Amino acid sequence: MILAIMIWMVLVGILGFLGFYRNTEAIPPRFLFLLGPGFLFVLLPFLFPSGRRFMDTLDLKWLTLLHTVRIPVEFLLYFIFLEGLIPKPMTFEGLNYDILSGITAPLVYFAIFVKSWMGKKGLLLWNILCLLLLFNILTIALLSAETPFQKLAFDQPNIGVAYFPYVWLPTVIVPIVLFSHLATIRQLLSYQEKL
Protein backbone atom coordinates (compact mmCIF):
# COMPACT_ATOMS: atom_id res chain seq x y z
CA MET A 1 0.00 0.00 0.00
CA ILE A 2 2.83 2.39 0.86
CA LEU A 3 4.50 1.60 -2.46
CA ALA A 4 1.26 2.33 -4.32
CA ILE A 5 0.93 5.68 -2.50
CA MET A 6 4.54 6.58 -3.35
CA ILE A 7 4.04 5.73 -7.05
CA TRP A 8 0.83 7.76 -7.07
CA MET A 9 2.61 10.71 -5.43
CA VAL A 10 5.34 10.65 -8.07
CA LEU A 11 2.84 10.48 -10.94
CA VAL A 12 0.66 13.26 -9.54
CA GLY A 13 3.73 15.35 -8.69
CA ILE A 14 5.03 15.12 -12.26
CA LEU A 15 1.61 16.04 -13.69
CA GLY A 16 1.35 18.94 -11.26
CA PHE A 17 4.85 20.16 -12.08
CA LEU A 18 4.09 20.02 -15.82
CA GLY A 19 0.90 22.03 -15.32
CA PHE A 20 -1.55 19.28 -16.32
CA TYR A 21 -4.11 20.25 -13.68
CA ARG A 22 -3.93 23.98 -14.44
CA ASN A 23 -5.57 23.64 -17.86
CA THR A 24 -9.02 25.10 -17.22
CA GLU A 25 -10.15 24.74 -20.84
CA ALA A 26 -9.96 20.93 -20.97
CA ILE A 27 -13.11 18.82 -21.07
CA PRO A 28 -13.72 17.17 -18.67
CA PRO A 29 -12.19 19.72 -16.28
CA ARG A 30 -8.80 18.47 -15.16
CA PHE A 31 -9.55 19.67 -11.65
CA LEU A 32 -11.77 16.59 -11.35
CA PHE A 33 -8.67 14.42 -11.80
CA LEU A 34 -7.32 15.88 -8.57
CA LEU A 35 -10.07 14.17 -6.56
CA GLY A 36 -11.60 11.47 -8.76
CA PRO A 37 -8.80 8.87 -8.79
CA GLY A 38 -8.21 9.26 -5.05
CA PHE A 39 -11.87 8.58 -4.31
CA LEU A 40 -11.71 5.53 -6.55
CA PHE A 41 -8.69 4.21 -4.63
CA VAL A 42 -10.54 4.77 -1.36
CA LEU A 43 -13.66 2.92 -2.51
CA LEU A 44 -11.93 -0.05 -4.16
CA PRO A 45 -11.07 -1.89 -0.89
CA PHE A 46 -14.77 -1.89 0.01
CA LEU A 47 -15.56 -3.86 -3.16
CA PHE A 48 -13.27 -6.81 -2.49
CA PRO A 49 -13.19 -9.23 0.47
CA SER A 50 -9.40 -8.88 0.73
CA GLY A 51 -9.76 -5.10 0.92
CA ARG A 52 -12.35 -5.34 3.66
CA ARG A 53 -10.19 -7.80 5.58
CA PHE A 54 -7.25 -5.38 5.25
CA MET A 55 -9.34 -2.50 6.63
CA ASP A 56 -10.42 -4.62 9.57
CA THR A 57 -6.78 -5.22 10.56
CA LEU A 58 -5.95 -1.51 10.83
CA ASP A 59 -5.34 -0.19 14.35
CA LEU A 60 -8.04 2.25 15.47
CA LYS A 61 -5.49 4.10 17.60
CA TRP A 62 -3.32 4.96 14.60
CA LEU A 63 -6.32 5.69 12.41
CA THR A 64 -7.39 8.25 15.02
CA LEU A 65 -3.99 9.88 15.49
CA LEU A 66 -3.50 10.11 11.73
CA HIS A 67 -5.95 13.01 11.68
CA THR A 68 -3.44 15.29 13.41
CA VAL A 69 -2.04 15.75 9.89
CA ARG A 70 -4.97 18.07 9.31
CA ILE A 71 -3.40 20.74 11.52
CA PRO A 72 -0.39 21.45 9.26
CA VAL A 73 -2.60 20.99 6.19
CA GLU A 74 -4.89 23.79 7.38
CA PHE A 75 -1.94 26.09 8.01
CA LEU A 76 -0.66 25.25 4.54
CA LEU A 77 -4.04 26.14 3.07
CA TYR A 78 -3.88 29.45 4.91
CA PHE A 79 -0.43 30.10 3.43
CA ILE A 80 -1.75 29.29 -0.06
CA PHE A 81 -4.62 31.73 0.57
CA LEU A 82 -2.14 34.47 1.51
CA GLU A 83 -0.39 33.80 -1.81
CA GLY A 84 -3.71 34.50 -3.57
CA LEU A 85 -4.13 30.95 -4.86
CA ILE A 86 -7.25 29.84 -2.95
CA PRO A 87 -10.23 31.75 -1.54
CA LYS A 88 -10.63 32.66 2.12
CA PRO A 89 -13.62 30.29 2.61
CA MET A 90 -11.17 27.38 2.16
CA THR A 91 -9.23 28.46 5.28
CA PHE A 92 -9.93 28.31 9.00
CA GLU A 93 -10.57 32.08 8.83
CA GLY A 94 -13.35 31.35 6.37
CA LEU A 95 -15.73 28.39 6.27
CA ASN A 96 -13.22 25.56 6.72
CA TYR A 97 -13.44 24.09 10.22
CA ASP A 98 -11.47 20.95 9.37
CA ILE A 99 -8.63 22.02 11.68
CA LEU A 100 -10.92 20.99 14.56
CA SER A 101 -10.53 17.37 13.42
CA GLY A 102 -6.76 17.63 13.76
CA ILE A 103 -6.88 19.44 17.10
CA THR A 104 -9.36 17.03 18.65
CA ALA A 105 -7.68 13.84 17.31
CA PRO A 106 -5.12 13.54 20.15
CA LEU A 107 -7.80 14.49 22.69
CA VAL A 108 -10.14 11.79 21.39
CA TYR A 109 -7.24 9.31 21.35
CA PHE A 110 -6.46 10.14 24.99
CA ALA A 111 -10.11 10.02 26.08
CA ILE A 112 -10.79 6.67 24.39
CA PHE A 113 -7.58 4.67 24.26
CA VAL A 114 -5.70 5.96 27.32
CA LYS A 115 -8.35 6.88 29.89
CA SER A 116 -11.43 5.02 28.55
CA TRP A 117 -13.59 8.08 29.23
CA MET A 118 -15.38 7.60 25.94
CA GLY A 119 -16.47 4.37 24.34
CA LYS A 120 -16.62 3.13 20.76
CA LYS A 121 -19.83 5.09 20.19
CA GLY A 122 -17.97 8.29 21.02
CA LEU A 123 -15.27 7.39 18.50
CA LEU A 124 -17.94 6.62 15.90
CA LEU A 125 -19.65 9.98 16.49
CA TRP A 126 -16.32 11.84 16.30
CA ASN A 127 -15.45 10.14 13.00
CA ILE A 128 -18.84 10.98 11.51
CA LEU A 129 -18.55 14.63 12.57
CA CYS A 130 -15.00 14.89 11.21
CA LEU A 131 -16.12 13.25 7.98
CA LEU A 132 -18.77 15.96 7.63
CA LEU A 133 -16.07 18.61 8.17
CA LEU A 134 -14.01 16.97 5.42
CA PHE A 135 -16.98 16.97 3.03
CA ASN A 136 -17.57 20.62 3.90
CA ILE A 137 -14.12 21.71 2.74
CA LEU A 138 -14.27 19.43 -0.30
CA THR A 139 -17.56 21.04 -1.33
CA ILE A 140 -16.11 24.53 -0.88
CA ALA A 141 -12.98 23.54 -2.84
CA LEU A 142 -15.00 22.08 -5.72
CA LEU A 143 -17.41 25.01 -5.94
CA SER A 144 -14.49 27.48 -5.81
CA ALA A 145 -12.44 25.80 -8.57
CA GLU A 146 -12.22 27.26 -12.07
CA THR A 147 -14.56 24.76 -13.71
CA PRO A 148 -17.99 24.99 -15.36
CA PHE A 149 -19.39 24.06 -11.91
CA GLN A 150 -17.86 27.07 -10.12
CA LYS A 151 -20.34 28.77 -7.80
CA LEU A 152 -18.06 30.49 -5.25
CA ALA A 153 -14.99 32.72 -5.04
CA PHE A 154 -14.97 34.19 -8.51
CA ASP A 155 -12.65 36.99 -7.33
CA GLN A 156 -10.05 34.54 -5.94
CA PRO A 157 -10.79 31.02 -7.20
CA ASN A 158 -9.30 27.78 -5.99
CA ILE A 159 -6.29 27.38 -8.29
CA GLY A 160 -3.58 26.67 -5.72
CA VAL A 161 -4.20 22.93 -5.41
CA ALA A 162 -3.46 22.58 -9.14
CA TYR A 163 0.18 23.60 -8.53
CA PHE A 164 3.05 21.40 -7.42
CA PRO A 165 3.52 20.44 -4.57
CA TYR A 166 0.02 21.47 -3.43
CA VAL A 167 -1.48 18.88 -5.80
CA TRP A 168 -0.69 16.31 -3.11
CA LEU A 169 -3.34 17.79 -0.80
CA PRO A 170 -6.40 16.65 -2.80
CA THR A 171 -4.74 13.66 -4.48
CA VAL A 172 -2.94 12.03 -1.54
CA ILE A 173 -3.77 13.62 1.83
CA VAL A 174 -7.55 13.86 1.37
CA PRO A 175 -7.93 10.23 0.20
CA ILE A 176 -5.81 8.97 3.10
CA VAL A 177 -7.87 10.96 5.62
CA LEU A 178 -11.12 9.85 3.98
CA PHE A 179 -9.98 6.21 3.94
CA SER A 180 -9.04 6.45 7.61
CA HIS A 181 -12.53 7.65 8.53
CA LEU A 182 -14.30 5.05 6.43
CA ALA A 183 -12.12 2.18 7.67
CA THR A 184 -12.70 3.28 11.28
CA ILE A 185 -16.45 3.62 10.80
CA ARG A 186 -16.56 0.19 9.15
CA GLN A 187 -14.73 -1.39 12.08
CA LEU A 188 -16.90 0.34 14.65
CA LEU A 189 -20.15 -0.61 12.92
CA SER A 190 -18.94 -4.21 12.60
CA TYR A 191 -18.12 -4.13 16.32
CA GLN A 192 -21.65 -2.93 17.11
CA GLU A 193 -23.17 -5.76 15.04
CA LYS A 194 -21.17 -8.34 17.01
CA LEU A 195 -22.53 -7.14 20.36
Side-chain angles (χ1 to χ4, degrees):
M1 186 172 199
I2 292 173
L3 179 62
I5 292 171
M6 297 301 288
I7 292 170
W8 178 241
M9 284 183 72
V10 169
L11 176 63
V12 167
I14 291 170
L15 290 174
F17 186 77
L18 295 175
F20 174 82
Y21 300 107
R22 292 193 303 265
N23 183 344
T24 58
E25 304 299 319
I27 302 292
R30 291 189 178 168
F31 187 86
L32 297 178
F33 292 108
L34 286 169
L35 289 173
F39 277 97
L40 182 63
F41 291 142
V42 167
L43 295 177
L44 276 176
F46 286 90
L47 302 177
F48 301 100
S50 59
R52 293 190 293 271
R53 281 193 301 273
F54 167 73
M55 285 188 287
D56 292 342
T57 65
L58 297 173
D59 189 336
L60 290 177
K61 294 176 184 176
W62 290 110
L63 290 175
T64 302
L65 285 175
L66 174 109
H67 296 286
T68 57
V69 74
R70 290 154 95 158
I71 298 171
V73 164
E74 295 308 319
F75 280 103
L76 181 59
L77 284 175
Y78 187 73
F79 168 76
I80 299 170
F81 158 68
L82 294 178
E83 293 296 312
L85 298 174
I86 65 170
K88 188 174 184 177
M90 285 182 62
T91 71
F92 50 74
E93 278 196 349
L95 301 172
N96 179 3
Y97 308 108
D98 199 53
I99 196 168
L100 295 174
S101 302
I103 293 169
T104 57
L107 302 175
V108 168
Y109 171 86
F110 184 78
I112 292 175
F113 299 108
V114 177
K115 290 294 185 180
S116 300
W117 291 336
M118 293 171 53
K120 302 287 185 187
K121 287 182 181 177
L123 184 59
L124 179 62
L125 177 62
W126 179 80
N127 270 276
I128 291 170
L129 291 174
C130 292
L131 192 57
L132 292 173
L133 291 176
L134 181 64
F135 285 137
N136 174 60
I137 181 55
L138 288 175
T139 302
I140 295 168
L142 281 171
L143 295 179
S144 301
E146 287 186 313
T147 68
F149 317 110
Q150 184 176 4
K151 301 291 182 201
L152 301 171
F154 291 98
D155 56 331
Q156 187 171 328
N158 174 15
I159 59 172
V161 294
Y163 287 85
F164 177 83
Y166 309 128
V167 292
W168 287 328
L169 292 175
T171 59
V172 179
I173 302 296
V174 167
I176 289 173
V177 167
L178 176 61
F179 178 79
S180 176
H181 279 310
L182 295 179
T184 300
I185 290 169
R186 174 185 158 73
Q187 280 194 42
L188 293 171
L189 291 177
S190 297
Y191 174 79
Q192 293 293 329
E193 288 174 6
K194 292 172 186 173
L195 293 179

